Amino acid sequence: MNFKVNEQGFYGDFGGAFIPEMLYHNVNELKENYLQIIESDDFQTEFKDLLKEYVGRPTPLYFAKRLSEKYNTNIFLKREDLNHTGAHKINNTIGQILLAKRMNKKRIIAETGAGQHGVATATVCALMNLECIIYMGEVDIKRQAPNVARMKMLGAEVRAATSGSKTLKDATNEAIRDWIANPVDTYYLIGSVVGPHPYPDMVARFQSIISEEMKSQLIEKTGRNYPDKVIACVGGGSNAAGAFYHYLDNDKVELIAVEADGLGVKTDKTAATTQVGSEGIIHGSKTLLMQNSEGQITEPHSISAGLDYPGVGPLHAHLFKSGRGSFIGATDKEALTAAYQLTKLEGIIPALESSHALAALNKIELKQTENIVINLSGRGDKDMETYIGEMSNL
Amino acid sequence: MNRIDKTFKDNKNILNVYLTAGYPNLNDTVEIVQELAKNGVDMVEIGMPFSDPLADGPTIQNSSQIAIKNGITLAIIFNQIQEIRKTVNIPIILMGYYNQILQFGSDAFFEKSKAVGVDGFIIPDLSLDIYEKEHQQKVEELELDMIFLITPQTSDQRIKLIDSKSSGFLYVVSSFAITGSKSSIHQSQIDYFKRINNLKLNNPKLIGFGISDKKTFDTACIHAEGAIIGSAFIKALQQSKNIKQTVKEFINSVKSGESSVTSTDNS
Ligand SMILES: Cc1ncc(COP(=O)(O)O)c(C=O)c1O
């Protein structure tokens, strides 16, 4: 089984570029150039240097002793929360901004859900002195206020997406429409492994630094360069893609993707795409998505804005369909409980998104001898209002 | 000769008007098309409302959302077209997004379209290569037309390729834009129309996006066989109290410039 993208931009049955002709030139320009640019020595040197000096990589692979005792196994946390700006998102924005610069683009647009990708994009735009416009759903602007303020302080313009469900899906639509209207000077800096080819592959490559570091860190800590299980949450799927990347072909590693069940997969308030979705086209990619029998894309629900998306990237659709990945879900409540637990046991407040990955510990079989890596994709600062509000309900 | 080819052969300055099925009310579709035909519109493009229409501006997005709330479905649209075909003989083009067609089942979709009297399709997010691989044979077998878009960024070489795969006509997107964005035509656009004309393409061309009134329609007709009006008409319907009157006034305003209807299109 092949888990790398093919020439046509497909992972198995999924992927491709289903885009209006208005985007053909731009997407094709990117497709023709991205590999050559990002594989060049010059690019890699600048990319690696910024990841080290600016982002603070490598991020620790922390052995969570008390959490491990609680579950009677060996749990390592890949500390993406310690990255500059507080999540894995900046690995990708550093990569894409260097690419945009080499393609002589002057204006950067992006979509954001939780605001983490928006902040990471605004940050690299400030660093590179480029104009930055962030599309964000009106609903998300309300529930992630601190990140909206951060983006503005960084010099970005935040535009509210007021169509549809007013969340990440709609912010993505608006960003794509902006790109259609401004195709010459504008670079669309996508925040996850979604969208038309080559975005899913490109974003996965930039995030693959996560599992690249895991390999050497695991050797040091366990004597083996791979764990028994890697657990990551999946919104669009970029942190999971990065954490899985170097283990895709290693069958000894179980890849566990955790989706947001919301209020539960039996309700209509869920974002568990692989459980309730079906094959179709969203944001230029053939993948799994939540839709009704008419092919209208339905509104997802998750307490976590970063997972509140009705699709998954084509790589994940392929991992799901082929059985290579195990897909499970965590409800809003289970994620909250896992967040409070990690905070108490380890003194780490995780992002709500990452809390879904932590909640998986209660749902899978764990052996005493196993090594488990949980990708702690982000920190909880942006979610403090939700955490404080929910504390009384515990 | 099919209805689209015949229309291009017989008529000049083709006026193609876009409407969203199921808008403003679920069952208005039939009457709107009947009135458009009565008032001399040469062809209609019926939009199949989609939740996430990437190529559409706020006006058409909004009409689609309302139509979906009204309960529009592909089955209802096909019934409406069947009803329309009892009295109307101008070409009918279905415009929509690829996901809707995949969920319906693409072969079933094309067959049903043919059966009710549809003549062609505009599916902006269906790429040329996927069309070739998976649908061209079926569409040609049914003698239906697949209409592709070209834009100011489309290279001459690609325009020729698109021309060779298209039938019916080419949809010339007037500018870098989603629907309903501009209200006048600039010199750079005219240069682009001239560049296309110099390519001596097989298919006739209709200019769309930003055509909203007599002035922009007339300009488009100098550089192509006609034009497509969408958002401006949807805006007229938004404010309509009486469909017959709205359609009549709107079409008059485009054809003769005389009307009280304002049709500026700055969404
Ligand atoms: C901390 C964190 N984790 C995960 C995600 C989900 O994105 P992805 O599935 O692309 O990793 C987000 C998105 O905003 C996030 O902020």
Side-chain angles (χ1 to χ4, degrees), chain B residues 104-233:
Chain B
F104 193 90
S106 56
D107 282 356
F109 173 83
F110 293 126
E111 282 162 12
K112 183 74 189 171
S113 297
K114 178 73 186 183
V116 299
V118 170
D119 303 288
F121 309 95
I122 299 170
I123 308 168
D125 60 342
L126 170 59
S127 65
L128 209 55
D129 52 328
I130 300 280
Y131 172 66
E132 247 185 298
K133 243 192 302 190
E134 297 182 16
H135 309 298
Q136 188 171 6
Q137 202 184 344
K138 186 83 197 171
V139 168
E140 287 181 354
E141 202 178 281
L142 294 166
E143 297 181 331
L144 293 164
D145 287 334
M146 187 61 75
I147 293 139
F148 285 98
L149 277 56
I150 57 180
T151 84
Q153 273 195 314
T154 314
S155 67
D156 289 358
Q157 194 189 356
R158 187 165 167 82
I159 291 176
K160 286 182 183 156
L161 175 70
I162 292 173
D163 183 45
S164 73
K165 302 286 169 215
S166 301
S167 52
F169 62 91
L170 286 173
Y171 192 133
V172 178
V173 177
S174 65
S175 62
F176 298 147
I178 47 178
T179 55
S181 312
K182 298 251 166 45
S183 57
S184 63
I185 292 178
H186 296 279
Q187 184 58 40
S188 63
Q189 291 169 272
I190 290 176
D191 294 343
Y192 151 64
F193 301 148
K194 285 187 176 152
R195 170 165 73 89
I196 295 168
N197 281 328
N198 285 337
L199 294 174
K200 306 267 175 282
L201 304 173
N202 298 320
N203 287 286
K205 303 163 298 295
L206 294 184
I207 295 174
F209 287 39
I211 309 301
S212 59
D213 52 15
K214 177 165 167 50
K215 192 162 155 251
T216 44
F217 179 67
D218 288 350
T219 309
C221 286
I222 298 172
H223 302 284
E225 282 78 358
I228 303 167
I229 296 185
S231 299
F233 180 59

Side-chain angles (χ1 to χ4, degrees), chain A residues 87-89 114 116 192 233-239 306-307 351 353 377-378:
Chain A
H88 69 292
K89 296 283 180 187
Q116 286 306 111
S192 192
C233 67
V234 172
S238 66
N239 87 86
L307 304 182
E353 291 78 13
S377 56

